[in-house]
Amino acid sequence: MKRREFLAATGSAVGFGLVGGMGFAAVGKAQTFDLKLQRCDFRLRKEMTPDLVSLAPNAPPPVLKARQGEQVVLNVKNALEEYTAMHWHGLRIPNDMDGVPYLTQYPIAQGETFRYSFIPPDAGTYWYHPHCMTMTQMARGLTGVLVIQEIEDPGFDTEQVINLRDFRLDDEDHLLPPYSLRRAARAGTLGNVMTANWLIEPVYNHQSGSLVRLRIVNTDTTRIQRVYLEGGMSKSIAWDGHPLRIPMPAPNKNTPLVMGPGQRVDLAIVMPKSEGQSITVFSRLASNDRVMATLVSEGTNLNRSLDELKPLAPNPVVVPDISSAEIHEFVFGWSPAGVAPKDGFCGSLGKTFWSINRVPWAGDAASGIGPLARLDLGKSYILRFRNESPNTHPIHLHGLAFIPLRSNKRKLLANWSDTMLLLKDEIVDVALVADNLGDWAFHCHIIEHQKTGLAGYIQVV
Ligand code: C2O
Ligand code: CU
C-alpha cells in the first residue's frame, strides 16, 4: 500500500510525529517553537475583526527564525475545532515533515499536536501556511514568514519582513466569505483590505544610513502583487528564498516585481542618510498604486553602502544537467464542473473547475490516485508547464527547487524558485534535479484553483 492510501485508510493518528498533550523537551540543541493554532481577534482596519486564526494570542502569525543546517522543532498544537496541517513553503525537507494531509501526514485534530522536526538545508525567506482547511484558515489570516538565517552573517544592520496579504471584510470589519464560486472558476476572489503584516500602511523605523534586509512575501490566497520601492538605494539579492544566480534590478514604478501568491523577494536597502526620510513599498494597481509599508530613517547616520555587502552564499541546490534531462509535460486548464473533491477533514469548495493534464484533483482524501509524474532520485528533468486557460496561475512544487529555462512569451531569469507564475496561454520549461524522495504536492497557489481541481503530486522514487 502506498503511503497516502495507508494514511487515508487508517483514519487515526498513527506515528508520523503525532503526539498528545504539550510541553516538549528540546532535542539536543534544536531550536524549538511551541505553536498553537487558535482563534484570535485583531484590529485590521477600524473595528476589531473576530474569528481570525493565528499562532499567537490576538497577534499576527509570528515571524519564525531558524538557522540553515541546524535542527528546528515546531510543535504545532491545534486548538481549533476543525482539522489542520502545517506546510513550510519552499523548504527542501524530508517528505514526512511537509505538512500535506493524507499525502504526508494525517490531519491534526482539535487538541492534537504534530511535531515537525527538520534541518533546513537552504537559507532565505520562506513561509508557512496550513494545507488542510487551507482556504478558510489562510483567509482568516494564518500565513506567516519563516526566515532561515545564513550560516555566515551577511552583514546587515537590521531586517524588515513585509508579509503582504488581503482580507475580505464587510462594513463592520467582520470577515466576508473568502471566495465566490463564480470567481473560483475564473481568476479567483480578491480581498478588499490590503495589508502588510496585518496592518494598513505600517511605518517601521530603521537607523539613518543603515543596511536593511527587506524580505517581501506574498502570502495572499489570490492576489498577484506588483511591488516596487520609492526612495533610498536598493538592490534585489534573493528570489523565492535563494540568492540570485542572475542579477535582477531593484523594482521601480515602471518595472515592478511581479509576485504570485507564495513568492518572495529579498532586497538590500540603505536607509536615507538624514532623519525622517522614507522608503516606501508600493503595490501597483490598475487604478491608484497603494502604499503597503513605509520605512523611515531615524537617529544618526550609519553611512553604510550597498557595496559593503558580499554576495549571499549560494544554497546547496544541485544544478540540473539539461542535456540529459527527460521532459514531463503538465497541462493546466479548466475541467467540466464536476463532483466535489474528496477532501476528508480538510475542507472542500464543493465543486471542480480546474485540472492538471485534464484530470481534476480528486481530493486530498481520495484513495488510489497516482502521481502526475514519477521521477527517479538524482536525475535531472525538465517540467513543461502549459497553461491552456486565460487565467494566470502560480504553479507551486513542494520539496524541490527548479530553474526556469524558457517561455513562449517572455524572457525568464534562471533564478531558483518553487513557484512559477504562468501567464495566459504561456508554456514554460523549468529544470530540476529530483533529489528529494517522496510525494510532493504540486498545485496552483491561488487557493480557489487548488481547492477546485488544480492540484496533484509528483513522486520521486
Ligand atoms: Cu504554499 Cu502546497 O503550498
Ligand atoms: Cu490557478
Side-chain angles (χ1 to χ4, degrees):
M1 189 154 54
K2 284 189 241 98
R3 183 171 48 195
R4 69 185 305 274
E5 282 158 23
F6 168 71
L7 285 168
T10 55
S12 66
V14 281
F16 303 105
L18 268 175
V19 285
M22 41 187 281
F24 296 90
V27 182
K29 62 193 270 280
Q31 187 171 4
T32 302
F33 295 94
D34 289 313
L35 306 167
K36 185 163 95 177
L37 250 83
Q38 55 197 285
R39 277 163 175 273
C40 91
D41 300 342
F42 193 82
R43 204 178 295 280
L44 295 166
R45 189 161 56 178
K46 207 158 164 267
E47 309 295 335
M48 273 293 181
T49 300
D51 281 336
L52 296 164
V53 180
S54 186
L55 294 176
N58 298 326
V63 174
L64 302 176
K65 286 194 179 168
R67 252 179 203 292
Q68 181 180 22
E70 288 181 21
Q71 188 86 32
V72 53
V73 174
L74 303 118
N75 296 311
V76 176
K77 182 180 168 78
N78 182 11
L80 299 179
E81 277 155 38
E82 63 205 40
Y83 283 77
T84 194
M86 196 63 82
H87 170 57
W88 318 99
H89 181 123
L91 292 190
R92 300 185 305 131
I93 53 178
N95 195 236
D96 57 355
M97 294 292 120
D98 198 43
V100 180
Y102 305 99
L103 195 62
T104 71
Q105 69 170 84
Y106 198 74
I108 310 168
Q110 182 180 20
E112 286 179 343
T113 300
F114 192 100
R115 180 174 179 277
Y116 295 94
S117 167
F118 49 79
I119 298 173
D122 303 321
T125 305
Y126 301 90
W127 64 294
Y128 59 90
H129 61 82
H131 226 282
C132 171
M133 301 304 290
T134 316
M135 183 76 246
T136 49
Q137 290 176 9
M138 282 178 71
R140 290 162 72 196
L142 189 52
T143 63
V145 174
L146 175 55
V147 168
I148 308 296
Q149 290 168 310
E150 284 81 9
I151 292 168
E152 204 186 320
D153 180 356
F156 291 92
D157 297 304
T158 50
E159 294 202 349
Q160 182 65 55
V161 167
I162 305 279
N163 174 0
L164 297 177
R165 53 155 311 148
D166 298 0
F167 289 86
R168 282 176 57 75
L169 302 183
D170 67 13
D171 291 344
E172 267 117 56
D173 292 347
H174 287 212
L175 290 164
L176 287 165
Y179 64 90
S180 77
L181 288 177
R182 205 187 81 85
R183 293 198 183 92
R186 295 174 175 81
T189 311
L190 290 175
N192 58 0
V193 177
M194 295 176 73
T195 69
N197 303 334
W198 283 27
L199 300 167
I200 296 171
E201 295 183 33
V203 174
Y204 299 104
N205 293 323
H206 289 273
Q207 193 166 352
S208 307
S210 63
L211 276 170
V212 180
R213 181 177 187 161
L214 190 59
R215 301 176 187 265
I216 303 177
V217 187
N218 180 2
T219 75
D220 199 58
T221 56
T222 315
R223 185 183 296 278
I224 292 147
Q225 287 280 1
R226 289 175 177 79
V227 175
Y228 66 94
L229 303 186
E230 271 185 7
M233 296 288 291
S234 57
K235 164 169 142 189
S236 303
I237 55 171
W239 180 248
D240 287 344
H242 300 275
L244 297 181
R245 301 170 74 230
I246 312 288
M248 259 167 58
N252 60 50
K253 194 171 166 60
N254 297 320
T255 52
L257 272 178
V258 182
M259 302 172 71
Q263 298 202 272
R264 296 86 69 199
V265 67
D266 290 36
L267 297 153
I269 64 179
V270 189
M271 292 302 292
K273 299 202 181 309
S274 47
E275 201 160 22
Q277 291 186 293
S278 58
I279 296 178
T280 307
V281 181
F282 283 94
S283 173
R284 172 137 229 179
L285 300 176
S287 49
N288 280 334
D289 294 356
R290 175 97 38 146
V291 173
M292 296 311 301
T294 308
L295 280 65
V296 174
S297 53
E298 64 169 8
T300 52
N301 179 12
L302 279 181
N303 219 359
R304 304 226 27 210
S305 129
L306 289 173
D307 305 333
E308 294 171 48
L309 294 168
K310 304 182 283 191
L312 295 170
N315 283 323
V317 204
V318 183
V319 176
D321 171 9
I322 292 160
S323 65
S324 74
E326 192 182 302
I327 300 179
H328 284 269
E329 182 166 301
F330 305 90
V331 179
F332 306 99
W334 281 325
S335 78
V339 290
K342 191 175 181 296
D343 281 325
F345 294 121
C346 290
S348 166
L349 272 57
K351 287 265 191 251
T352 294
F353 302 121
W354 298 96
S355 60
I356 303 181
N357 292 345
R358 307 205 167 83
V359 181
W361 176 237
D364 296 342
S367 58
I369 309 299
L372 291 160
R374 203 167 270 128
L375 311 181
D376 290 332
L377 185 68
K379 281 203 187 153
S380 293
Y381 291 91
I382 290 173
L383 310 185
R384 178 160 294 162
F385 299 165
R386 185 187 290 272
N387 185 2
E388 281 193 346
S389 81
N391 301 103
T392 307
H393 302 283
I395 301 297
H396 173 47
L397 176 60
H398 289 210
L400 301 162
F402 55 72
I403 298 173
L405 295 180
R406 55 188 158 254
S407 153
N408 64 336
K409 294 208 135 187
R410 55 183 163 144
K411 190 175 175 309
L412 298 173
L413 295 182
N415 286 314
W416 291 113
S417 174
D418 49 64
T419 307
M420 180 73 225
L421 190 66
L422 261 194
L423 308 178
K424 169 183 187 322
D425 300 321
E426 191 176 32
I427 304 166
V428 167
D429 284 356
V430 306
L432 57 74
V433 178
D435 55 3
N436 202 358
L437 274 176
D439 292 340
W440 299 109
F442 179 54
H443 60 87
C444 180
H445 226 292
I446 290 175
I447 308 302
E448 287 151 85
H449 293 175
Q450 176 191 358
K451 295 296 278 182
T452 57
L454 219 165
Y457 70 100
I458 290 179
Q459 190 168 63
V460 178
V461 290

